[in-house]
Amino acid sequence: MKKLALHWKIIIGMILGIVWALLSSTLGWSAFTINWIDPFGTIFINLLKLIAVPLVLFSIIGGVANIGDPSSLGRMGGKTLGIYLLTTVMAISLGLVLVNTIQPGRLIDYDTRLDNRLSYEIWAASEGHEVKDGHSYLNDPAYAERVKKVSALSTAKIDASIVSDKLAKAENQQNVSPLQPLIDIVPENFFASLSNNGLMLQIIFFALFFGVCLLYIPNEKAQPVLKLVDGINEVFLKMVDLVMQAAPFFVFALLAGVVSKMAGDDVGKVVEIFKGLSWYSLTVLVGLLLMIFVIYPTILKLFVKKISYIGFFKAVSPAQTLAFSTSSSAATLPVTMECVEQNLGVNKKISSFVLPIGATVNMDGTSLYQAVAVIFLAQMHMANLSLEQQLIIVVTTTLASIGSAAVPSAGLVMLIVVLNSVGLNPVWIAIIFPVDRILDMFRTVVNVTGDTVVCSIIADGENMLDYKGTKNPTETFDLDS
């Protein structure tokens, strides 16, 4: 087992975790799994988040200060944000093409969709919204009896405890001035930002500001600070090494807990959850897998010819498997940085600048999922969205993805904002909530893969990519080296 690559160990841990969860569910041990095994998964995510925030801070400060030329920093920053924005729009467009082609919402039986439509019109009338496609089933005499008996899926499955906090967060997100996002980037108390993972943009702003200022002070005064920053950075990277040695065991606990919470003491619950949302889940998965295995490698090959298809995936597989198990780009960030630096040969000046920004603003997987989810929910409520409304989804989803925190299920909060933008009922998120955690794992793999691709492109463009072929990913976290 010692010579086995880390990503294979993590995959084995994931499989064993799922098998254990299903077995414990069958035997009625789910409470034991949730109470005594799942907490170790939570500890694992907490450890990675503990490392991620200070690592982002000191990596960006060191990366910016070591660039040496403020004009280079501006050029690199513009290219980074531009490519991230381009891949986000591509992901959303792919999601819209797939959901309009497969039409998963229309594969639900007609009677259910008709009840859903009546429920939607009742909600729209009560909230003072205009039904977007202009049709009214509610006032049609042919459906008078059905209106009295309507019991739509969109309301029947709503659990207030699931959606109430997300609705409140989304409402706060919308009731702000146009320049509020810009205000939110600048912290009034940096130490408060450090204690809140959701304020990663503020940490990045401070790190960039600090690093740029180091460029403008005399070298003899800047060097001691840089040595301190580099030393602290090395300490946190060693923390990553130590934590990753136990990653397969932590991942076992994490997956066992996730599946046990879904199944309870009835394995059939997992099957039923996916059966009811099978076409929706399949549409999202097809889009996410296309991004991982087709879109990203194609983009990478266009700009960086020296990295082969197989070589790329071998290099970033530890970050991908960890992203899948944790569902958090921020928690995966320390491992992502080591993968691109040691396996792809990206200079630390590039990775320490591009990757932390990507973990915050690049949410391609989340964007694709939101686009599919909105159209799917509209389809299953017989609400036909026009091309103009779907373009609104592209714009809103792009902005919402930038605002999504790099933590599990944060995309659900932003999905409410997107639903509101096209006049659909935000409480509908309860319908897709049961499969969100599993899909979130795949979304995070997309996000992390996109970060590594963009980082490689920027590094190659700046002549800071020294790719020497595929190494065994185990070497990335080898304590004996």
Side-chain angles (χ1 to χ4, degrees):
M1 286 289 287
K2 188 175 181 181
K3 293 184 179 180
L4 196 63
L6 177 67
H7 65 283
W8 288 116
K9 293 180 183 177
I10 293 176
I11 289 172
I12 291 170
M14 286 164 44
I15 294 171
L16 291 177
I18 294 170
V19 170
W20 170 264
L22 297 176
L23 180 64
S24 66
S25 175
T26 304
L27 298 175
W29 297 348
S30 287
F32 171 82
T33 301
I34 292 170
N35 292 330
W36 295 97
I37 296 179
D38 180 58
F40 289 99
T42 305
I43 290 170
F44 180 49
I45 292 180
N46 288 346
L47 278 171
L48 290 172
K49 288 181 179 178
L50 170 72
I51 298 168
V53 173
L55 186 62
V56 167
L57 173 64
F58 293 108
S59 291
I60 292 180
I61 291 174
V64 170
N66 284 319
I67 287 174
D69 180 8
S71 63
S72 298
L73 177 64
R75 183 185 68 251
M76 192 178 5
K79 286 165 61 177
T80 299
L81 292 176
I83 298 175
Y84 278 144
L85 183 62
L86 178 63
T87 59
T88 298
V89 173
M90 289 175 63
I92 298 167
S93 301
L94 175 61
L96 289 176
V97 168
L98 286 172
V99 75
N100 281 292
T101 302
I102 299 172
Q103 299 189 339
R106 291 177 182 171
L107 296 173
I108 297 170
D109 68 274
Y110 178 78
D111 287 341
T112 299
R113 288 192 295 123
L114 180 58
D115 286 345
N116 291 347
R117 172 64 188 218
L118 295 172
S119 176
Y120 165 51
E121 291 190 20
I122 291 171
W123 169 82
S126 66
E127 295 291 325
H129 289 290
E130 180 183 349
V131 176
K132 291 300 178 181
D133 56 16
H135 297 296
S136 178
Y137 289 74
L138 204 59
N139 296 323
D140 190 330
Y143 301 115
E145 287 300 316
R146 199 173 192 111
V147 170
K148 296 177 183 178
K149 298 178 181 179
V150 68
S151 178
L153 181 64
S154 57
T155 56
K157 291 190 175 181
I158 289 173
D159 180 350
S161 63
I162 289 177
V163 299
S164 58
D165 62 323
K166 293 177 174 58
L167 285 171
K169 289 178 182 178
E171 188 175 349
N172 291 336
Q173 187 83 19
Q174 289 180 297
N175 296 330
V176 295
S177 68
L179 292 180
Q180 188 62 42
L182 188 61
I183 296 172
D184 291 339
I185 290 175
V186 183
E188 62 180 41
N189 184 336
F190 173 65
F191 295 100
S193 304
L194 278 177
S195 65
N196 189 336
N197 280 329
L199 301 177
M200 189 69 82
L201 276 176
Q202 293 188 354
I203 297 169
I204 291 174
F205 172 82
F206 176 84
L208 289 171
F209 193 25
F210 194 100
V212 168
C213 289
L214 278 175
L215 295 174
Y216 287 100
I217 65 175
N219 189 55
E220 63 272 13
K221 293 185 178 179
Q223 280 305 311
V225 178
L226 273 175
K227 287 182 179 178
L228 176 64
V229 168
D230 289 341
I232 294 175
N233 221 10
E234 288 300 318
V235 173
F236 282 108
L237 289 175
K238 180 53 65 176
M239 286 184 181
V240 176
D241 286 341
L242 294 174
V243 171
M244 289 308 295
Q245 299 310 305
F249 304 100
F250 281 130
V251 166
F252 164 82
L254 195 63
L255 265 293
V258 168
V259 178
S260 291
K261 288 173 183 175
M262 289 177 64
D265 287 330
D266 181 8
V267 179
K269 282 184 180 179
V270 179
V271 177
E272 288 303 315
I273 284 171
F274 279 94
K275 188 187 296 182
L277 295 167
S278 56
W279 283 107
Y280 159 72
S281 302
L282 182 63
T283 304
V284 175
L285 282 176
V286 167
L288 297 177
L289 293 176
L290 282 173
M291 288 297 297
I292 296 170
F293 295 108
V294 179
I295 306 296
Y296 285 140
T298 301
I299 295 173
L300 183 65
K301 201 64 182 175
L302 286 174
F303 292 94
V304 188
K305 300 188 183 301
K306 66 178 78 173
I307 301 178
S308 68
Y309 184 91
I310 299 297
F312 170 72
F313 283 105
K314 283 187 176 181
V316 302
S317 55
Q320 290 178 318
T321 49
L322 190 63
F324 183 84
S325 56
T326 62
S327 297
S328 172
S329 302
T332 311
L333 181 59
V335 179
T336 309
M337 293 179 73
E338 291 222 9
C339 283
V340 299
E341 290 169 13
Q342 298 191 24
N343 295 345
L344 290 176
V346 173
N347 191 294
K348 188 176 288 188
K349 293 179 182 179
I350 301 295
S351 63
S352 60
F353 176 78
V354 176
L355 289 177
I357 294 175
T360 307
V361 305
N362 182 45
M363 298 289 169
D364 293 348
T366 304
S367 302
L368 186 149
Y369 137 81
Q370 287 175 344
V372 173
V374 171
I375 303 299
F376 165 74
L377 290 170
Q379 288 172 352
M380 71 178 295
H381 289 81
M382 297 173 69
N384 299 314
L385 297 181
S386 65
L387 178 62
E388 180 184 349
Q389 290 163 339
Q390 294 200 27
L391 289 175
I392 291 174
I393 291 174
V394 173
V395 175
T396 311
T397 304
T398 302
L399 297 175
S401 69
I402 296 172
S404 293
V407 296
S409 295
L412 275 176
V413 176
M414 304 315 298
L415 179 57
I416 294 173
V417 176
V418 181
L419 284 168
N420 277 331
S421 72
V422 287
L424 300 178
N425 190 346
V427 181
W428 290 350
I429 65 166
I431 297 171
I432 61 173
F433 188 83
V435 294
D436 181 74
R437 188 65 170 88
I438 297 297
L439 294 178
D440 196 18
M441 299 162 95
F442 287 95
R443 298 198 301 263
T444 308
V445 177
V446 172
N447 297 340
V448 169
T449 305
D451 293 345
T452 61
V453 167
V454 174
C455 189
S456 301
I457 292 172
I458 299 297
D460 189 61
E462 297 291 326
N463 295 316
M464 293 187 184
L465 180 68
D466 185 25
Y467 179 68
K468 296 180 178 177
T470 305
K471 299 188 295 182
N472 187 336
T474 307
E475 295 175 19
T476 305
F477 307 101
D478 187 0
L479 290 175
D480 298 325
S481 59

